Amino acid sequence: MPALLSLCPKLYTMSNSQLSEQEVQRREAMLKLREMGIEPYPAALYPVNHLSDKIKENFEEGKKVVIAGRLMARRIQGKASFGELQDSAGRVQVYFNRDEICPGEDKTMYNDVYKKLLGIGDFVGIEGELFRTQVGEPTVKVEKFTVLSKSLKPLPLPKTDEDGTVHDAFTDPELRYRQRYVDLVVNPHVKDVFVKRTKLFNAMREYFNNAGYLEVETPILQPIPGGAAARPFVTHHNALDIPLYMRIANELYLKRLICGGFDGVYEFSKNFRNEGMDRTHNPEFTAMEIYVSYKDYNWMMDFTEKLLEHCATSVNGTTKAVFGEHEVDFKAPYKRVTMRQSILDFTGFDIHGKSEEELREGAKSLGVEVDETMGKGKLIDEIFGEKCEPNYIQPTFIIDYPKEMSPLCKAHRDNPELTERFELMVCGKEIANAYSELNDPIDQRERFEEQLKLSEKGDDEAMFIDQDFLRALEYGMPPTSGLGIGMDRLLMYLTNNQSIQEILFFPQMRPEKWDAPAGPELTDNEKIIFDILSKEGSMDLGALKEAAGLSNKQWDKGIKGLGKHGLTKVTKTDDALTVEVVD
RNA sequence: GAUUCUGUAGCUCAGUUGGUAGAGCAUCUCCCUUUUAAGGAGAGGGUCCUGGGUUCGAGCCCCAGCAGGAUCACCA
C-alpha cells in the first residue's frame, strides 16, 4: 500500500469496488496537492468571465480571459504543453509554458502540480491571454491556473482523428444510461438532444401562453387512476391509511378545471404506467394535455398542426425532420382521413354498418388475429393497427374512432356509433390523441359502467368509475376539446432517436448491485482448504488437495483464491510443491 | 413475456482444435518550447460477469444464474 494512502485507509473504499491503479494514483495526487497547501476542492467562487465558444468566435489577440472547465486532453512536450479545456460550451486549447507559469526559480507549479498531479477530467480555472499558435489555433496562454476539483476516476477517452472518425467511443448503452454524467462529458452530441428537449417544451409552452391558456398542476398521487387505459403503480398513504395511485393521465383533473371556468388549461404531465419497458416505453414518461372550452375536434386539428409546425421550427430551425429512413415534414396542414376510409383504402373492407360478427369475419379474412372477447371497437382497432397505421409516415390525422374504444369522448354528431376523436400518426405511430370531450354526465356515467363490465370480464386496463368527476360534469362542463401529446415520442422524431432512453436523462434501469466485499471474505472452498492447512501450517500441495477432497475445479479456484487474498503461499522445491500459511 | 446475441485491462476491442492473458489509447518513469487522433524509449496494470460441471488442464466446451443489447408481442 502506498505510504500516503496507508495513512488514510478509508480512501480505498470510498467507491463500490476495489480501486484500480489509476484511481489509487489520483487519490495520491489529490493528497499530495493538499500536502503542498493546494486545496483540491476549494470553496471560493471562481471568477469565470468567458466561455470556450465565444473565445473562438470573437477571437482577439492578447485579450485577457478567465475560463474554467475540465482538462480533457494534454500534449506535453518538455517545458511546454498544450491542453484542451472543456466547459459547458465546448472546448478551447490552452497553452501551459513552464516559464510563463513559473517565472522564478521555483518550477513546482509546472513540473509537479500541472504535469504530475493534474490529470484528464480535473476541473481547473485558467487566467490567461489569447493568441494563435503557428498552426493558427486560437489558444489561451496560461498565466495562472487554479485547481478547482480533482477527479478521482479516469474518464473514458474517445478521440476524433483528422477524418472525423471517433475512436474508443464510450458507446455501451448500459454504461451510458447508468452514468449519464460521464456520457454527457465525453459525448457532446448527447447534450444537444437534451437542449432540444428543453427547446421543445419551451416552444410548446410559449405557443399555449400566447394563445392565452393557463399552465396548471394537478395531483400525481390519485385515489382513482383515470383518464387512460393502463395499469397503474399503487402506493400507500400512512396517515389516511388508503391506497394511492400514481397518475396514468391527468385528463379528468384538467376537465374539472374547465368545469371550474378556465377557458384553456394545459399541463406537462409526468405519467406512470406499470407496464413493459423497451426502447419506446419507460415506466415514467411525459405527456402534454391541453383542454380548451367552446371548441371541438375540428378546431383542435387546426390548432395541433400549427402547434407542431411551430415546435419543429423552434427545435430544428425547419419543419422537416429526419427519422431513420424517413424524412417527415411537420408543415401544416396535415391530411385528414376517417378510420373507415383508411381501412377501405388499405384493405378494401368497408366497416360501415357491419355487425360484430361480420367485423370478426372480415378481420380474419384479412389475416388479422382476433379472439372472441373483442367487441366491435376493438376489432376495428385491430384491423386499423395491423393494416393501416404503419403506412402513415407524414403527419396524418385519423378521425372518427369507434365508440367502444373512447369512453371519454363525445359521440359523433352524425353517427352515434363513432366518436369525435382524432389521432395524429407520424412514421406509423401515434403521437397525439384528441377529442371533442364528452360533457354529457348521463352518457359519461353509462360509458364508465361499460368499462366496469369490461373490467369484470378481466380487462385489467379498463377504467374505474370516478364519482367526483361525474359530479363535476353534472354541475356542467362547456363544450370542450382536449389534446394529448406524447412528448417523448415527439422528441424522438425531432432528434432522430429510435430509443426513448436516448431522450431521457435517466431512463429507468434495474438497480446496480453495490455490495462491497469488506475485506477478504472466503468462499466455502477456500475455507475448507484454509482450515486444513492452518492446522498444519505447511503442507505438501498434493496432500492438501487430497485432504480437501474437492473437485479439480473447486480445488483450483480455492487455492488460487487463497493466494490472491495473501493468506497462503506456494513454494517450489526441487521435487515438491509446498503450501504454507502466510502470517 | 418469447427469440437471439453479448459480457476479457480505466476506455475500445482481439484471443486459433482446450495448453503461460493480448493490442491501441489511457496510467507511471525518462527525453523533448507553438503541437492538432497518436512525438521517442521503457514499465506497471486482469475476479476473462457469477456459480457449478466435463477435462491432467477452461477466457474458449456443457448447465444454471446475473446484467445488457437487438428483434417480436402489449402499451404512449
Side-chain angles (χ1 to χ4, degrees):
Chain A
M1 191 178 287
L4 276 166
L5 277 181
S6 62
L7 301 173
C8 311
K10 253 191 204 166
L11 291 173
Y12 272 112
T13 55
M14 283 166 78
S15 199
N16 61 325
S17 54
Q18 296 205 330
L19 296 177
S20 69
E21 188 192 25
Q22 287 186 55
E23 289 173 294
V24 172
Q25 280 161 358
R26 282 165 176 263
R27 277 166 171 75
E28 288 183 303
M30 185 268 286
L31 291 175
K32 191 82 188 298
L33 284 171
R34 198 169 267 158
E35 250 191 359
M36 295 169 71
I38 297 170
E39 172 52 46
Y41 304 101
L45 167 154
Y46 190 77
V48 176
N49 63 17
H50 280 77
L51 289 179
S52 55
D53 57 344
K54 294 287 177 288
I55 286 176
K56 288 183 279 188
E57 281 165 28
N58 312 321
F59 179 82
E60 279 177 53
E61 189 80 28
K63 188 179 182 182
K64 301 275 183 191
V65 297
V66 182
I67 57 175
R70 279 189 202 265
L71 201 52
M72 290 302 284
R74 287 201 302 172
R75 299 181 281 276
I76 293 176
Q77 0 177 343
K79 294 172 216 160
S81 167
F82 289 90
E84 282 174 35
L85 194 80
Q86 174 169 306
D87 63 16
S88 64
R91 290 190 186 186
V92 65
Q93 178 163 278
V94 291
Y95 174 66
F96 286 82
N97 180 299
R98 189 188 68 186
D99 300 319
E100 293 276 345
I101 296 165
C102 310
E105 286 301 302
D106 181 7
K107 305 297 185 191
T108 311
M109 277 305 274
Y110 182 80
N111 284 341
D112 295 335
V113 178
Y114 170 72
K115 272 172 68 176
K116 295 192 178 143
L117 301 179
L118 286 187
I120 285 169
D122 293 346
F123 284 89
V124 294
I126 285 173
E127 291 173 48
E129 187 180 298
L130 303 190
F131 78 108
R132 281 188 197 275
T133 62
Q134 288 176 358
V135 194
E137 182 77 15
T139 303
V140 180
K141 185 191 287 173
V142 181
E143 287 161 357
K144 189 182 165 197
F145 69 93
T146 310
V147 179
L148 297 177
S149 182
K150 179 75 192 161
S151 163
L152 298 183
K153 275 183 100 67
L155 285 167
L157 278 174
K159 289 192 173 53
T160 310
D161 68 17
E162 50 204 355
D163 306 324
T165 315
V166 178
H167 301 263
D168 295 349
F170 181 62
T171 54
D172 182 337
E174 184 193 352
L175 289 173
R176 287 182 48 233
Y177 304 150
R178 284 195 194 282
Q179 303 186 38
R180 185 67 90 180
Y181 32 88
V182 175
D183 192 26
L184 288 164
V185 170
V186 304
N187 293 327
H189 58 277
V190 172
K191 223 169 176 176
D192 299 341
V193 171
F194 292 98
V195 170
K196 284 187 174 180
R197 185 179 177 105
T198 298
K199 276 188 183 166
L200 172 63
F201 280 74
N202 289 344
M204 213 173 259
R205 191 169 268 135
E206 177 192 26
Y207 193 82
F208 295 149
N209 290 346
N210 287 342
Y213 305 136
L214 187 72
E215 182 167 11
V216 298
E217 294 182 285
T218 64
I220 291 169
L221 288 174
Q222 303 179 348
I224 294 172
R231 285 209 302 274
F233 286 93
V234 193
T235 184
H236 184 263
H237 190 276
N238 290 341
L240 293 173
D241 192 22
I242 53 163
L244 283 176
Y245 300 87
M246 316 263 302
R247 76 172 161 205
I248 54 174
N250 54 354
E251 171 157 2
L252 302 186
Y253 283 93
L254 291 178
K255 285 197 222 173
R256 283 170 171 94
L257 296 179
I258 296 294
C259 296
F262 291 106
D263 284 329
V265 289
Y266 70 95
E267 180 178 16
F268 292 101
S269 160
K270 266 289 173 71
N271 295 339
F272 306 85
R273 298 188 183 175
N274 206 342
E275 291 166 347
M277 285 164 58
D278 60 32
R279 86 180 184 290
T280 54
H281 295 89
N282 195 60
E284 58 181 291
F285 67 99
T286 306
M288 189 292 307
E289 292 197 33
I290 181 167
Y291 292 81
V292 184
S293 58
Y294 310 115
K295 309 295 187 193
D296 66 4
Y297 78 139
N298 291 312
W299 177 88
M300 189 59 89
M301 275 188 264
D302 298 342
F303 185 75
T304 302
E305 60 196 13
K306 285 179 199 136
L307 169 71
L308 291 184
E309 182 179 328
H310 169 75
C311 289
T313 310
S314 301
V315 170
N316 287 329
T318 164
T319 58
K320 295 197 167 77
V322 173
F323 184 71
E325 57 190 2
H326 305 302
E327 186 181 77
V328 178
D329 192 346
F330 284 98
K331 180 143 190 66
Y334 306 155
K335 248 182 14 187
R336 302 177 186 192
V337 184
T338 65
M339 184 163 268
R340 175 190 170 194
Q341 187 62 46
S342 173
I343 293 177
L344 204 51
D345 287 347
F346 288 105
T347 69
F349 181 69
D350 190 356
I351 58 172
H352 183 68
K354 294 285 195 297
S355 70
E356 183 176 315
E357 206 38 53
E358 288 170 320
L359 287 171
R360 184 167 291 120
E361 286 312 310
K364 276 185 195 164
S365 70
L366 294 168
V368 176
E369 274 186 45
V370 295
D371 63 57
E372 293 309 306
T373 68
M374 291 179 179
K376 280 174 81 167
K378 187 78 180 163
L379 288 165
I380 293 170
D381 193 57
E382 284 294 320
I383 298 171
F384 177 76
E386 188 80 19
K387 296 293 171 189
C388 309
E389 200 174 63
N391 299 305
Y392 294 106
I393 304 304
Q394 296 304 320
T396 307
F397 292 115
I398 303 299
I399 64 177
D400 300 346
Y401 279 62
K403 192 168 175 180
E404 192 186 312
M405 299 303 296
S406 317
L408 302 167
C409 183
K410 188 175 277 191
H412 197 279
R413 61 194 80 178
D414 300 326
N415 181 345
E417 295 223 317
L418 301 178
T419 52
E420 297 208 347
R421 172 180 181 179
F422 72 78
E423 288 196 353
L424 177 62
M425 300 294 162
V426 178
C427 292
K429 295 271 190 186
E430 164 204 347
I431 63 165
N433 182 17
Y435 307 151
S436 295
E437 300 295 335
L438 177 55
N439 62 345
D440 175 345
I442 307 292
D443 191 355
Q444 182 68 79
R445 187 177 292 275
E446 284 168 4
R447 307 269 197 105
F448 274 143
E449 278 161 2
E450 282 161 24
Q451 289 288 309
L452 193 63
K453 281 182 205 147
L454 284 180
S455 157
E456 281 160 1
K457 272 167 72 179
D459 184 344
D460 56 1
E461 291 182 347
M463 294 183 192
F464 293 75
I465 298 184
D466 188 331
Q467 297 291 354
D468 176 71
F469 174 66
L470 288 170
R471 178 166 63 191
L473 289 190
E474 285 167 9
Y475 281 109
M477 183 173 87
T480 298
S481 184
L483 164 74
I485 294 179
M487 296 298 288
D488 304 303
R489 185 157 290 173
L490 176 57
L491 190 70
M492 286 162 68
Y493 289 133
L494 292 178
T495 59
N496 192 15
N497 273 298
Q498 309 283 330
S499 161
I500 195 171
Q501 293 161 313
E502 291 292 346
I503 54 130
L504 298 171
F505 272 129
F506 303 107
Q508 194 57 245
M509 301 193 80
R510 194 180 295 271
E512 278 178 89
K513 291 205 174 93
W514 286 91
D515 46 347
E521 188 141 329
L522 300 191
T523 66
D524 289 347
N525 295 336
E526 289 165 2
K527 275 179 197 153
I528 291 168
I529 299 168
F530 192 72
D531 285 350
I532 299 166
L533 182 64
S534 55
K535 282 174 201 147
E536 306 287 330
S538 163
M539 281 177 83
D540 176 71
L541 189 116
L544 179 58
K545 182 181 173 186
E546 188 78 12
L550 294 169
S551 72
N552 285 321
K553 180 91 156 197
Q554 288 170 325
W555 158 256
D556 187 62
K557 288 255 178 197
I559 193 71
K560 281 180 183 163
L562 286 170
K564 277 222 165 83
H565 293 318
L567 293 171
T568 60
K569 193 177 158 197
V570 181
T571 44
K572 190 173 180 185
T573 54
D574 290 341
D575 48 36
L577 289 167
T578 310
V579 190
E580 57 191 73
V581 178
V582 176
D583 296 330

